[in-house]
Amino acid sequence: MIFQGGGITVTDYRCTAGPDDAPFTEQHVSHSISYVRRGSFGCRCRGRSHELVTGAVLIGAPGEEYACHHEHHVGGDECLSFSFAPEVIELIGDDISVWQQGSAAPLAELMTLGELAQAVAGEHSDLGFDEIGQAFAARLVNVVSGKARRQATISTRDRRRAVETAMWISAHSADEIDLDDAAKQAGVSPFHFLRMFRDALGVTPHQYLVRSRLRHAARLLAESENAVTAIAFDVGFGDLSNFVRSFHRAAGVSPRAFRQASRGSRKIFQERLAFH
């Protein structure tokens, strides 16, 4: 636990479990969201299977049972987890369609705030955990409400392929990657790869590539002094205007304003980030 106050508890989870470790059933004791900042893992809850890769979010509701596993995930995972007291959830929203989904796919609107939360955890931002925690939860409710993921039938082998390729995309997102490259990495045809990736992770390979670039950009904006133009090209965008447009669409603010918010501009954070 790295923070507790204002009805919010923040925990830095670092899991070293591997494919040979047997999963066990756990139970959420409060509403919670856990941002996957590194690695990947699987989770079974309410009779459904979820594959969580970097940028995804594990969602918990009080009393819900779940079991995490690494049967086709290597290298462990790290999560930044926020747990919320009932009074906080009353302010944010207790929409059951959100809190019982189990997970959220890697969504750009969540990944940018997730990286800002990580900057707070690393003491690279002047924002507080209570501020970013409430903002992250409010954004989750706003973005995920009513968007339950379709449960597709997909083999264990294809789940493993999708997860492993997602990790490869995240690690090489600054490079030029197209569908054929990713499919070759997975060892399947482009058509089959597109379908299995989307079914396993809830996003297309191209969406995950672009969102991985935005995730890296958000971290650099919050933690470095690098120029916005340099960051755009460093993370893989070949055009500055495309980067600014994509980032604004994801975060609700420009890259420059996002940086200002991370440095303590409450006006920008509260008016344009916290309630986007």
Side-chain angles (χ1 to χ4, degrees), residues 87-136:
E87 59 268 23
V88 178
I89 295 301
E90 286 180 12
L91 292 173
I92 294 170
D94 59 357
D95 186 342
I96 196 170
S97 71
V98 172
W99 297 104
Q100 290 189 340
Q101 282 198 31
S103 72
L107 303 173
E109 300 93 333
L110 299 178
M111 294 166 80
T112 48
L113 269 191
E115 291 304 312
L116 185 54
Q118 183 54 37
V120 173
E123 299 183 350
H124 297 290
S125 172
D126 292 330
L127 296 173
F129 275 120
D130 51 349
E131 295 175 298
I132 191 63
Q134 287 195 36
F136 199 177

Side-chain angles (χ1 to χ4, degrees), residues 6-265:
I8 295 177
T9 300
V10 184
T11 306
D12 182 358
Y13 281 104
R14 297 172 186 248
C15 177
T16 59
D20 295 330
D21 293 292
F24 56 91
T25 300
E26 302 176 76
Q27 188 177 63
H28 293 290
V29 297
S30 63
H31 290 85
S32 64
I33 52 177
S34 299
Y35 176 68
V36 186
R37 66 171 187 242
R38 190 191 70 80
S40 64
F41 62 95
C43 180
R44 298 189 182 95
C45 59
R46 298 179 68 83
R48 300 182 62 185
S49 295
H50 306 257
E51 307 300 335
L52 292 98
V53 295
T54 305
V57 178
L58 179 68
I59 305 171
E64 289 290 329
E65 293 187 343
Y66 66 101
C68 293
H69 67 86
H70 291 78
E71 61 187 42
H72 44 261
H73 303 258
V74 179
D77 62 86
E78 296 180 6
C79 295
L80 189 65
S81 178
F82 293 81
S83 297
F84 304 96
E87 59 268 23
V88 178
I89 295 301
E90 286 180 12
L91 292 173
I92 294 170
D94 59 357
D95 186 342
I96 196 170
S97 71
V98 172
W99 297 104
Q100 290 189 340
Q101 282 198 31
S103 72
L107 303 173
E109 300 93 333
L110 299 178
M111 294 166 80
T112 48
L113 269 191
E115 291 304 312
L116 185 54
Q118 183 54 37
V120 173
E123 299 183 350
H124 297 290
S125 172
D126 292 330
L127 296 173
F129 275 120
D130 51 349
E131 295 175 298
I132 191 63
Q134 287 195 36
F136 199 177
R139 178 77 61 85
L140 175 82
V141 171
N142 182 48
V143 172
V144 177
S145 181
K147 293 184 179 179
R149 285 171 57 181
R150 176 178 62 91
Q151 185 69 26
T153 301
I154 180 171
S155 69
T156 298
R157 185 181 185 188
D158 278 351
R159 286 183 181 276
R160 182 182 299 111
R161 283 170 166 165
V163 168
E164 290 175 349
T165 310
M167 294 295 95
W168 178 80
I169 291 173
S170 179
H172 297 85
S173 60
D175 302 332
E176 289 292 333
I177 298 175
D178 59 21
L179 180 62
D180 289 341
D181 295 328
K184 184 177 180 180
Q185 182 70 21
V188 296
S189 70
F191 174 77
H192 181 69
F193 174 70
L194 179 61
R195 184 174 57 185
M196 81 173 192
F197 194 97
R198 183 188 60 235
D199 287 347
L201 303 179
V203 295
T204 68
H206 181 69
Q207 286 174 326
Y208 190 66
L209 171 62
V210 173
R211 292 169 188 182
S212 293
R213 290 170 175 170
L214 292 172
R215 178 174 61 82
H216 292 306
R219 176 71 66 85
L220 289 171
L221 288 166
E223 298 186 359
S224 78
E225 299 295 337
N226 298 351
V228 171
T229 301
I231 289 175
F233 291 120
D234 286 346
V235 301
F237 282 89
D239 178 80
L240 178 60
S241 62
N242 183 33
F243 166 66
V244 172
R245 185 169 55 251
S246 297
F247 192 91
H248 194 289
R249 186 164 53 244
V253 296
S254 69
R256 193 176 304 278
F258 184 87
R259 168 171 279 169
Q260 291 172 343
S262 74
R263 304 296 162 82
S265 175

